[in-house]
Amino acid sequence: MLMVSLALLGSSVLAVPGTAAAPVPCDQASLVAAVTAANAHPGSSLELTENCTYQLTAALPAITAATTVHGHHATLARARTAAPFRLLRTDAAGVSISDLSVTGGRTAPGEDGGGILNTGALTLTRVTIRGNSTGDGPPAADGGSGGGVFSSGGTLSIADSTVDGNATGSGGPWARAGQGGFAGSGGNGGGIGVRQGVLTVERSSVGGNRTGGGGDSSAAPGGEGDSWAHGGSGGGIWSTQRTTVTGSTVCDNSAGDGGTGGPVGSSPSGSAGHGGPGGNGGGAYVAGATTFAHSTVCRNTSGGAGTGGSGATRGYDGNAGDGGGLWTGAGTAALVDATIADNRTGSPGTVRPGTPGSGGGVYDHAGELTVTGGLVARNRGGQDGGGVGLHSTRKRPAASFRITGARIADNLAGGNGGGIAVSSVHLGAAHVLADSIVTGNTASQGGGMHLGSGNTVKLEHDTISGNHPDDCVPRGCGKAG
């Protein structure tokens, strides 16, 4: 491997292969020169000065060649007086960064990746990504996604790392566009955002991140004031293709609230405009093939309803977000010895409330959910599925579950299915519950489990007892195996 060192005057030179590289001096100019030299020599290695804080007043050059960065517990930080900018961009396969902190990055309005933007193959090991954010959307545009790190079309691998205290931008306010007007939605992925790529997280913590709220339509003129501006989804993680999380915690994250509706006179009925829906997946929003193994998802909250527009006839509040802990869909999701605990869905509003959120712990939309071992406990869903909620409006493929060897306990639903709820409207879906315990759950109906019309469940050596007001609706829920 080639090593990059620096001459005293700041120009970069190549060290003899196999020899140790001199540390990059602790200043911005030296670091810029080192990255530039590494881009000209694929396979180079950068050694940062131990415990140095590189105070940056502008973004570093993008890394465009395979490079290894040994951080030695250094920090990349945006200077407090500097204008907003992203700290680091990686556009090559084979970029590896270790033992580094990335903090204080903030993108321009609507841009993704507050701390790091990746379009190649990036591996982060023992990296702390903290206190970064993306910019709010300009008028009628969405906020930036990936408050801590955003990967687009590439591969992102994170191990033994911490992603905390990051945030995405809120949607831009109402503005006229074409024949109508609209507000933007909040950015997705408060900590980590991945669009059409592969995400792997191992032995890491994703906590205290949040997504931005939907844009404000209160300035809309008559006839254009309904706000369909969503709160951002995936408070901790937002990933749309393939996601694997192992031995990690995703806790204390939150998805954004929906946008505010326009005032009285802004809808044809003469009432005020409706609020926007809250973001889905307080802990994580994951679509495609997903695995959470030996991991904990706790104390996360999905987005609350946007407030209806003001006036004598106030608009309806939006719908609350689904999936307080996890939102999964459009693929297969496997939870293996995972703990899903103390998550909840956001508020549906108070004056003219919308639909409460479903799936306090896990919400599965039109996907195949497999739970093997683990615990789903003390979660709270505003509507159906305090612990686990499944829904699909399509006959094929159908949302389905197979739960084996799990404990589903002490969850609460404001509607049906305190422990498990299946609200799919299609007929003929078959589910399996095996060697599991469902106890201490509460709902309006089906305290333990509630199945929508046409759904059945095969029960194999389960204990379903001590739920309120009943254990299973319809009575028996299916046949015992």
Side-chain angles (χ1 to χ4, degrees), residues 5-451:
S5 72
L6 297 172
L8 292 176
L9 295 178
S11 61
S12 58
V13 298
L14 294 180
V16 177
T19 63
V24 177
C26 189
D27 63 81
Q28 176 174 293
S30 296
L31 185 55
V32 168
V35 173
T36 301
N39 286 337
H41 299 87
S44 298
S45 175
L46 300 181
E47 306 290 333
L48 303 190
T49 296
E50 186 173 2
N51 297 321
C52 163
T53 297
Y54 291 87
Q55 291 283 354
L56 305 179
T57 59
L60 293 172
I63 297 176
T64 58
T67 303
T68 299
V69 179
H70 297 293
H72 299 291
H73 308 292
T75 298
L76 301 183
R78 180 174 65 88
R80 292 186 178 181
T81 58
F85 62 87
R86 179 190 306 113
L87 294 169
L88 185 61
R89 175 169 179 153
T90 58
D91 292 333
V95 177
S96 177
I97 301 173
S98 62
D99 300 301
L100 182 69
S101 294
V102 177
T103 185
R106 181 172 176 81
T107 62
E111 291 188 359
D112 301 327
I116 302 173
L117 175 65
N118 170 59
T119 64
L122 172 62
T123 298
L124 302 175
T125 305
R126 298 181 302 278
V127 170
T128 297
I129 302 174
R130 175 175 294 149
N132 304 282
S133 59
T134 57
D136 297 340
D142 298 342
S145 292
V149 54
F150 188 83
S151 183
S152 179
T155 299
L156 176 62
S157 300
I158 301 174
D160 303 304
S161 296
T162 299
V163 182
D164 66 0
N166 304 284
T168 64
S170 297
W174 180 95
R176 189 175 300 281
Q179 298 301 311
F182 56 91
S185 294
N188 299 314
I192 302 168
V194 178
R195 180 189 296 121
Q196 296 303 312
V198 177
L199 172 65
T200 302
V201 179
E202 300 177 290
R203 302 177 305 279
S204 295
S205 172
V206 180
N209 305 285
R210 61 180 177 82
T211 58
D216 183 2
S217 293
S218 61
E224 299 179 10
D226 282 345
S227 174
W228 302 112
H230 290 249
S233 291
I237 298 171
W238 179 81
S239 181
T240 65
Q241 190 166 335
R242 194 170 77 206
T243 305
T244 302
V245 178
T246 306
S248 299
T249 60
V250 180
C251 296
D252 301 303
N253 305 283
S254 59
D257 296 340
T260 302
V264 164
S266 63
S267 72
S269 66
S271 65
H274 303 323
N280 297 318
Y285 176 108
V286 284
T290 298
T291 299
F292 274 73
H294 314 292
S295 296
T296 298
V297 179
C298 62
R299 300 184 303 274
N300 302 288
T301 307
S302 65
T307 303
S310 61
T313 308
R314 176 175 156 171
Y316 286 100
D317 297 332
N319 296 332
D322 297 317
L326 297 177
W327 187 101
T328 70
T332 59
L335 308 182
V336 181
D337 291 326
T339 297
I340 314 295
D342 302 301
N343 305 284
R344 63 183 178 86
T345 57
S347 168
T350 56
V351 178
R352 302 190 76 183
T355 302
S358 292
V362 180
Y363 182 86
D364 179 80
H365 182 77
E368 299 178 12
L369 176 65
T370 301
V371 180
T372 305
L375 175 68
V376 180
R378 302 181 304 278
N379 302 287
R380 185 167 187 166
Q383 187 161 282
D384 298 333
V388 179
L390 291 89
H391 180 74
S392 175
T393 58
R394 298 179 294 173
K395 293 184 177 180
R396 296 290 184 273
S400 63
F401 72 77
R402 182 181 183 91
I403 300 174
T404 305
R407 181 179 178 86
I408 300 174
D410 305 317
N411 301 285
L412 173 66
N416 299 323
I420 304 169
V422 180
S423 58
S424 304
V425 299
H426 58 79
L427 301 177
H431 313 279
V432 176
L433 184 69
D435 301 305
S436 295
I437 297 172
V438 181
T439 186
N441 303 287
T442 302
S444 296
Q445 295 185 79
M449 181 162 45
H450 187 281
L451 300 180

Side-chain angles (χ1 to χ4, degrees), residues 432-471:
V432 176
L433 184 69
D435 301 305
S436 295
I437 297 172
V438 181
T439 186
N441 303 287
T442 302
S444 296
Q445 295 185 79
M449 181 162 45
H450 187 281
L451 300 180
S453 176
N455 291 271
T456 61
V457 61
K458 185 177 182 181
L459 304 177
E460 300 177 350
H461 314 296
D462 301 296
T463 299
I464 306 177
S465 64
N467 302 286
H468 181 79
D470 44 29
D471 287 325

